[in-house]
Amino acid sequence: MTTQERAVQRLTNGTPVPKGQERKVTNLWLDALQRLLRNKAAVLGGIIVILLILMAIFADQIAPYHYAEGDSNENYMVPLWLTKVMPGHMEKYAKIGDKFILGADYLGRDILSRIIYGARVSLPVGFAGALTALVIGLVYGSISGYYGGKVDNIMMRIVDIMYAFPTMLLIILLMAFFKTSFGGANEPGTAAYTFNQINKIVDRFLGLEGGGMLFIFMGIGITAWMGIARLARGQILSLKEKEFIEAARMIGASDLRIIVRHILPNIIGPILVTVTLNIPGYISTEVFLSFIGLGVDPPTPSWGSMISEGSRAIRSYPNQVLFPALALAITMFAFNFLGDGLRDALDPRMRGTS
Amino acid sequence: MARYIVRRLLWMIPVLFFISIVTFALAHAVPGGPFDREKPLPAEIVANLNKYYGLDQPLWKQYTDYIGLTRNPAGEFAGVLEGKFGPSYSSRSRTVNDIFRDHLPVSATLGLAALAIAVGMGVPLGVLAALKQNTFWDYLSMAVAIFGVSVPVIVLGPLFILIFALTLHWFPVAGWGRPSQMVMPSFALGLGSSAIIARLTRASMLQVIREDYIRTARAKGLSERMVIIRHALKNAFIPVATILGPMFAALVTGTFVTEQIFAIPGMGKYFITSITNRDYPVVMGTILLYAVFLVLANLVVDITYAFLDPRIQYE
């Protein structure tokens, strides 16, 4: 008989709970999962996220063409069906055809294929941003909150200073720095060269031929951890005076053990929620960077660079901007739904807030 | 209170100092110089230009010259501390101050218009949703909110152009100056923030209208309108006020994207091209100026707090 079963027996004075009325013995995470699965919007978001991940992984199999492969006879092709849905002046300027279902860009590359491959940029950026923010923020915030005093004071002043940076401007500057200093480094032995080699490995791992993904991860990671650090610190401050922490310390647990075993499991919920809700932000940062030409290197497709190329000729070839924008919006919706659902599931008291 | 403000203002000094050093180091770490051309200029000319602008000096000297702590090659103190942001290397007839004067008001107007839309739409939507909780209006405003959060300006911008300019012909496609040209960019930029404000207002309103002092206000016979406006809204606005600072900062930097999409002559274009042109003074000046905005915006928010909620006190 388990402890829980014994407890149930004691509470019910030994009379067994009538059949069909027992409450399933469960833990916090299973409970949260059940609540999450009852939330239709969150489930929908989750399904879309999974589909997007599959689309990114199997892009080679799904996409009808390779992202860099252009057909010079089909430059600027607008699909025939679109001219029927959106009658206007497209017929006047554009080449109407039906070779590519979503049309082709200025080099005759299939827009659908580029959108599919673009998921290999957007999703990793979202997850890498979240992971970096989580790891740095959690470690930083834990140390600051747990040790308190002078350490805390100095560490939090550093966070304050980081917050005073205009984030977007700093990322732009960092990207320019990474791309030119690291991206062109061909001399073995230097730190820049090492970064460039790691970058090439990352690109290859993501199934892209070049693209400079590591630099985007770094740019976003450097500017993304402060919020999590503050959150983790606040949570730990409120926890560390609790009796069970005192008890753990009393029986001689080390600081590391107390943080990892006793504190982190108690604060991870709200932090995971915040990180998930931040993913759309990381994704749109990359989109913006690629939009201004400081994101992925061509010909690697990013929804941002596609929107940028497309918005130059929005009147004649609306398909070039419309479909990547749609892909981006659907992705953002999915992550927001999932994040909202996760928050409600992990902490029902927070339902409907913020 | 006065002491608190003074302390916060003094804290700005090390913050801005640190930001200026990091920015300066980063900007100069980008390989290449401002006078590199595809067709290289003669070496003597580059040397002369570098000498003229003090770029032949050691880096620390260039920094102190820029800040205005030491005399520049022309023999005068002319740095940020004296209110001079230096020359622009790429548009040589103008100083960075000229660029700020011509283009900053454009960005600021856009940012403020977006903020006005964010608050003007977000707060009423949130209040409506909270007062009519779990009704059609609640769901509608929350649907609008989740749309606003999920659709970034980079999607909204082209979409607005496609629908309202090219199809309906209500507004001009791009440009800046006439009021009709300002509508689409301001909405595209402000909608996302209005969604965040709406959700926050709703949550905080739902909490406040269950408080005892609201019951008291009703019990003493105040009209519902009075209760909501004078008692509920004022208190519900406090959490909203906390995010206005970061939000304003996000909007101001968000203008960069919006300006690109709608071809608006603001700071965005200058900042981005100045980085690729190694136009150090423009890069530095813009980042420093925006950092000052950011710190001040947060300070103003913290002070507003104290006025909204007398329980909050700073020492």
Side-chain angles (χ1 to χ4, degrees), chain A residues 157 161 163-166 169 172 176-177 180-181 287-288 291-292 314 321-322 325 328 332-333 336-337 340 352-354, chain B residues 11 15 18-19 26 29-31 146 149-150 154-155 158 162 166 199 202-203 253 257 260 272 275 287 290-291 294:
Chain A
R157 288 299 81 76
I161 293 177
Y163 256 115
F165 267 105
L169 279 63
I172 295 174
F177 170 63
T180 49
S181 308
V287 166
F288 169 61
F291 184 86
I292 60 172
I314 194 168
V321 66
L322 205 56
L328 176 63
M332 304 275 279
F333 266 117
N336 273 322
F337 280 144
D340 275 358
T353 59
S354 76
Chain B
W11 166 238
V15 168
F18 180 82
I19 289 180
L26 262 178
V30 178
I146 201 138
V149 179
S150 301
I154 215 160
V155 172
L162 211 56
L166 294 177
R199 290 166 62 143
R202 174 179 179 272
T253 39
V257 194
Q260 294 277 317
I272 293 162
I275 288 185
I287 291 193
Y290 277 65
L294 235 130

Side-chain angles (χ1 to χ4, degrees), chain B residues 133-155:
Chain B
Q133 196 190 357
N134 296 331
T135 65
F136 170 74
W137 293 109
D138 186 13
Y139 297 133
L140 182 73
S141 30
M142 284 308 105
V144 171
I146 201 138
F147 178 83
V149 179
S150 301
V151 184
V153 57
I154 215 160
V155 172

Side-chain angles (χ1 to χ4, degrees), chain B:
Chain B
M1 189 69 182
R3 272 189 56 193
Y4 171 79
I5 296 174
V6 170
R7 213 178 56 208
R8 284 283 296 262
L9 289 173
L10 285 177
W11 166 238
M12 276 178 76
I13 297 171
V15 168
L16 293 174
F17 191 65
F18 180 82
I19 289 180
S20 70
I21 290 181
V22 170
T23 317
F24 191 84
L26 262 178
H28 283 263
V30 178
F35 307 113
D36 293 352
R37 296 286 182 275
E38 223 150 282
K39 230 178 93 198
L41 296 169
E44 307 85 55
I45 293 184
V46 174
N48 267 335
L49 279 168
N50 281 340
K51 195 168 158 52
Y52 176 75
Y53 287 117
L55 292 168
D56 53 346
Q57 309 269 337
L59 216 52
W60 66 265
K61 179 68 168 47
Q62 291 184 38
Y63 175 76
T64 49
D65 282 354
Y66 176 76
I67 295 297
L69 294 170
T70 49
R71 287 178 198 277
N72 64 11
E76 54 200 2
F77 292 100
V80 174
L81 290 178
E82 287 83 20
K84 298 200 176 77
F85 286 93
S88 162
Y89 303 146
S90 40
S91 43
R92 251 165 279 167
S93 55
R94 300 205 293 170
T95 65
V96 179
N97 290 53
D98 292 335
I99 293 176
F100 283 167
R101 199 190 51 229
D102 292 347
H103 302 283
L104 203 61
V106 176
S107 293
T109 314
L110 177 57
L112 283 174
L115 189 69
I117 285 166
V119 177
M121 271 176 56
V123 172
L125 264 180
V127 172
L128 186 72
L131 294 183
K132 305 201 182 286
Q133 196 190 357
N134 296 331
T135 65
F136 170 74
W137 293 109
D138 186 13
Y139 297 133
L140 182 73
S141 30
M142 284 308 105
V144 171
I146 201 138
F147 178 83
V149 179
S150 301
V151 184
V153 57
I154 215 160
V155 172
L156 272 182
L159 216 59
F160 277 8
I161 294 179
L162 211 56
I163 298 172
F164 298 110
L166 294 177
T167 310
L168 298 173
H169 302 287
W170 288 356
F171 302 106
V173 173
W176 189 255
R178 278 176 290 134
S180 64
Q181 289 173 319
M182 295 162 69
V183 177
M184 285 200 308
S186 315
F187 268 92
L189 182 57
L191 207 63
S193 306
S194 83
I196 297 171
I197 291 187
R199 290 166 62 143
L200 199 63
T201 309
R202 174 179 179 272
S204 124
M205 196 72 182
L206 280 177
Q207 215 165 49
V208 167
I209 50 179
R210 283 170 180 68
E211 296 277 351
D212 289 339
Y213 56 79
I214 296 298
R215 199 174 314 128
T216 312
R218 286 215 179 96
K220 71 179 181 188
L222 282 186
S223 71
E224 190 60 24
R225 171 196 283 269
M226 266 316 238
V227 174
I228 297 302
I229 294 177
R230 283 286 294 279
H231 295 265
L233 199 54
K234 192 182 152 198
N235 288 293
F237 196 69
I238 295 172
V240 179
T242 54
I243 61 155
L244 284 184
M247 180 167 284
F248 180 63
L251 283 176
V252 164
T253 39
T255 56
F256 279 39
V257 194
T258 323
E259 285 167 12
Q260 294 277 317
I261 298 172
F262 292 94
I264 296 168
M267 282 307 299
K269 203 184 103 211
Y270 274 89
F271 182 71
I272 293 162
T273 48
S274 70
I275 288 185
T276 38
N277 289 338
R278 319 283 182 265
D279 201 342
Y280 310 125
V282 179
V283 179
M284 295 279 303
T286 315
I287 291 193
L288 276 180
L289 204 69
Y290 277 65
V292 172
F293 271 156
L294 235 130
V295 178
L296 284 180
N298 280 323
L299 178 61
V300 169
V301 165
D302 285 349
I303 296 170
T304 321
Y305 254 1
F307 280 107
L308 285 173
D309 188 349
R311 285 171 300 183
I312 299 171
Q313 270 178 1
Y314 302 113
E315 84 269 6

